[in-house]
Amino acid sequence: MLEFLNIKIEVEKLSNILGKAEDCLDLRYLTGRIQYLDQVIAQPDFWNNPTRAYEVLQEIEYSIFYKHQQYQRWCSILEDIKAALELLELSADEQLWQEAQSNLTQLQKELETAEIRQLLSDPQDKKGAFLTITAEVDNADSQYWAYMLLQMYCRWGKSHNYPLDVVEIYEGNETGIKYATLEITASCAYGYLKSETGTHQLQQISPFDVTNSLRTSLASVEVFPILGESVEWEIPEKDLEITYYRHRGNVNRTEIWVKIVHIPTGISVSCNQERSQMQNKEKTLAILKSKLFAMATAGYAYALSQGVQLDKIQSRQIGFISNNLIREYILHPYTKVKDLRTNVETPAAVEVLNGKIDLFIKAYLQQLNHTTSVTQEALDNSE
């Protein structure tokens, strides 16, 4: 009986959330905007500007599938839950009860994701993402920690039904991985995962030490937006050092590995998971472009926008924020995960490592939005 009342209370909360969502989404505006963009697409010169065309198509996709239709679907699920509860008050039905609970859990999860999505304000936030993981030390503990992080992000992506692809992976000497790159092509993947850039620290009993000693391991994570067709620029050939070499392990694997070094900055990227040399080269260039474009700390993106000679930017100018320690994962003598930027923590370390990192993502985005709002207000006041 108590569980039934708790669900009714939760349903009422979700009804209020959806009521507020309707005001925020302004469905009449969205409908009118979609009709206007449909007219833009119908123009004979629409495809003359590929960049603008890509942006229009992205806006339509986001407006229709992630706002308009999604909202209608949420309302339908909520009405189904309410109808089920009314029937359950009259007669017990285990199957209907399980269905109502399942729908409620799914709706709660989707509304939580939508709430986080509302915090994405940067133009790059709606893009997919490349996520790289690097073991900070060349030993079994650090390499296994890097592998655990790779599994964590794969599970996070799977729980959100995001397409993931491992485009590059280098296995460790004994176990784990030295380095890996994930490609997440879902909309807003970069907006969510940018919170993960930094150094992640693990404290646990080493599984590789017979003395069962407590070890601290470090792995760095970097996240870059997938540029796609919306950004049109090419890296000068003279700035690239391209190396091709064939995998010499398993003779049944015929792929060609490609490594590209950006000479001015010293950034090195490689790809070994595609089926052909050409595909690996294209993927490697895509990752390199994303890394360079995201290098705001090195002034690279600014240089691009201002037409500055790119070869003037040297590797000593690069200051990746991935060197900053952002999160601690403790598995012994107790369990806890704490984000050092937002101070959000949870004792459910195993759940976090199973991909439940949305609480950290949400807290980071809330903090980022608050900081941006305060900065903007200060600028407005100074004017």
Side-chain angles (χ1 to χ4, degrees), residues 225 227 233-235 284-294:
L227 299 182
W233 61 279
E234 297 296 329
I235 304 173
T284 305
L285 279 172
I287 298 171
L288 178 60
K289 285 182 180 181
S290 291
K291 283 194 173 189
L292 293 176
F293 194 79

Side-chain angles (χ1 to χ4, degrees), residues 12-28:
E12 188 62 33
K13 289 180 182 178
L14 294 181
S15 296
N16 293 332
I17 291 173
L18 281 176
K20 293 177 181 178
E22 183 176 12
D23 294 335
C24 293
L25 293 177
D26 195 349
L27 297 181
R28 285 179 297 179

Side-chain angles (χ1 to χ4, degrees), residues 324-335:
N324 299 332
L325 181 62
I326 67 162
R327 196 176 298 152
E328 295 176 333
Y329 305 71
I330 300 174
L331 299 183
H332 189 85
Y334 52 89
T335 60

Side-chain angles (χ1 to χ4, degrees), residues 320-347:
F320 287 119
I321 60 175
S322 60
N323 296 326
N324 299 332
L325 181 62
I326 67 162
R327 196 176 298 152
E328 295 176 333
Y329 305 71
I330 300 174
L331 299 183
H332 189 85
Y334 52 89
T335 60
K336 183 178 78 171
V337 180
K338 180 176 181 179
D339 194 290
L340 304 179
R341 300 159 300 179
T342 62
N343 289 323
V344 169
E345 61 180 73
T346 174

Side-chain angles (χ1 to χ4, degrees), residues 83-122:
L85 293 179
E86 289 177 1
L87 291 173
L88 288 167
E89 283 185 310
L90 299 174
S91 175
D93 184 320
E94 183 62 28
Q95 183 176 348
L96 188 60
W97 172 247
Q98 294 294 335
E99 183 180 333
Q101 286 183 310
S102 177
N103 284 339
L104 180 63
T105 300
Q106 182 64 28
L107 185 57
Q108 288 172 321
K109 180 180 177 181
E110 291 188 19
L111 287 176
E112 174 71 15
T113 301
E115 186 179 0
I116 297 174
R117 197 183 189 101
Q118 291 297 318
L119 298 171
L120 305 181
S121 55
D122 188 279

Side-chain angles (χ1 to χ4, degrees), residues 26-175:
D26 195 349
L27 297 181
R28 285 179 297 179
Y29 165 77
L30 282 179
T31 302
R33 182 65 178 168
I34 292 169
Q35 290 173 349
Y36 166 75
L37 293 176
D38 283 339
Q39 293 175 359
V40 172
I41 292 176
Q43 298 300 314
D45 60 346
F46 174 71
W47 292 105
N48 290 352
N49 186 339
T51 301
R52 173 57 181 159
Y54 178 80
E55 291 172 350
V56 169
L57 294 176
Q58 268 202 327
E59 183 180 351
I60 289 179
E61 179 187 6
Y62 178 65
S63 295
I64 294 176
F65 294 104
Y66 294 101
K67 286 189 174 181
H68 195 276
Q69 289 188 0
Q70 192 70 295
Y71 173 78
Q72 300 295 342
R73 178 175 167 275
W74 290 333
C75 290
S76 177
I77 293 174
L78 187 60
E79 289 304 314
D80 287 344
I81 296 172
K82 289 180 178 179
L85 293 179
E86 289 177 1
L87 291 173
L88 288 167
E89 283 185 310
L90 299 174
S91 175
D93 184 320
E94 183 62 28
Q95 183 176 348
L96 188 60
W97 172 247
Q98 294 294 335
E99 183 180 333
Q101 286 183 310
S102 177
N103 284 339
L104 180 63
T105 300
Q106 182 64 28
L107 185 57
Q108 288 172 321
K109 180 180 177 181
E110 291 188 19
L111 287 176
E112 174 71 15
T113 301
E115 186 179 0
I116 297 174
R117 197 183 189 101
Q118 291 297 318
L119 298 171
L120 305 181
S121 55
D122 188 279
Q124 303 300 323
D125 286 345
K126 294 184 177 64
K127 298 183 182 298
F130 289 117
L131 183 147
T132 64
I133 303 167
T134 307
E136 289 292 279
V137 182
D138 190 17
N139 62 34
D141 286 297
S142 288
Q143 290 169 7
Y144 188 64
W145 173 224
Y147 172 74
M148 290 171 68
L149 285 175
L150 176 63
Q151 291 293 99
M152 182 181 78
Y153 292 121
C154 286
R155 289 165 181 159
W156 174 83
K158 185 177 180 180
S159 70
H160 289 279
N161 297 316
Y162 291 163
L164 291 116
D165 187 25
V166 178
V167 298
E168 176 186 15
I169 187 166
Y170 291 92
E171 297 177 356
N173 298 325
E174 301 175 43
T175 186

Side-chain angles (χ1 to χ4, degrees), residues 251-265:
V251 294
N252 294 321
R253 295 178 63 183
T254 59
E255 78 275 14
I256 301 294
W257 293 27
V258 177
K259 176 181 178 181
I260 300 180
V261 177
H262 183 252
I263 299 171
T265 61

